[in-house]
Amino acid sequence: MSRFFILLGGELVRTPRIDAQLEGSRIIAADAGIGHAALLGVTPELWVGDFDSVPENLPDSYAAIPRETFPAEKDNTDGELAITAALKRGATSLVLAGAFGGPRADHAFLHLALALRLAEQGTPTVLTSGAQEGHPLLPGETAFDYADGTLFSVLGFSELSGLTETGAKWPLDNVEVAFGSSLTLSNEVRGSLRITLERGRALLLAHPYPLPEH
């Protein structure tokens, strides 16, 4: 098993769950994602992208990181290129760190959809900002280790059939969910969270370390 931790350009905070996901992982940075390396105390084995959004004042040691440089006008985002590099190096699972937020909402959407596709193709993928985590939901039952009170939502990317949520403040039992429905938003963990899905495409978005409201 080979887990790769991909540093993307969205917001990231360091949390105990991030540290646990980093342990034993190989690391690749996508362009501006290199800015998270110092926060996490890591040095990526590879840095990919068109390097049009590299943060200023990086440590001099980062100049020695091997790079794969691509033209600015290309058919893939820097994040996709980093994921492709990880898969070529034998990745069997992925953590996409900095996958939410940042200045590009289109990139955030892409990361959500891409994580679903990767999971469906057999590569388990987690998205994280530290404060939030995303988990693709495949048909069948999935158990999660979140503490009581953790806020979570199930985001449907299609109509959902046979959705069951147990270990939740507002449980669901084998329901049908229309595409675009808010039924599965803003629930809370109560006990051992388990989610079963018979058919459809969805992603669990949990908030294990909510940031203070401004």
Side-chain angles (χ1 to χ4, degrees), residues 48-166:
V48 305
D50 54 27
F51 301 100
D52 65 349
S53 54
V54 175
E56 297 180 357
N57 303 318
L58 292 175
D60 293 339
S61 60
Y62 288 3
I65 298 173
R67 299 189 185 195
E68 288 186 4
T69 303
F70 296 84
E73 295 184 359
K74 54 189 185 302
D75 293 331
N76 304 98
T77 66
D78 296 325
E80 285 180 292
L81 294 171
I83 290 167
T84 297
L87 295 173
K88 287 180 178 178
R89 286 162 172 74
T92 54
S93 65
L94 296 166
V95 177
L96 308 184
F100 307 117
R104 295 290 301 270
D106 50 352
H107 285 198
F109 173 80
L110 172 68
H111 296 149
L112 297 174
L114 186 55
L116 276 170
R117 189 182 76 184
L118 288 163
E120 290 171 347
Q121 293 174 344
T123 304
T125 302
V126 176
L127 307 100
T128 184
S129 68
Q132 301 181 82
E133 286 185 353
H135 299 266
L137 296 172
L138 299 180
E141 183 182 79
T142 307
F144 299 92
D145 63 347
Y146 293 117
D148 275 10
T150 300
L151 177 69
F152 75 91
S153 298
V154 171
L155 307 181
F157 285 72
S158 69
E159 294 182 354
L160 306 179
S161 296
L163 178 66
T164 297
E165 298 180 3
T166 59

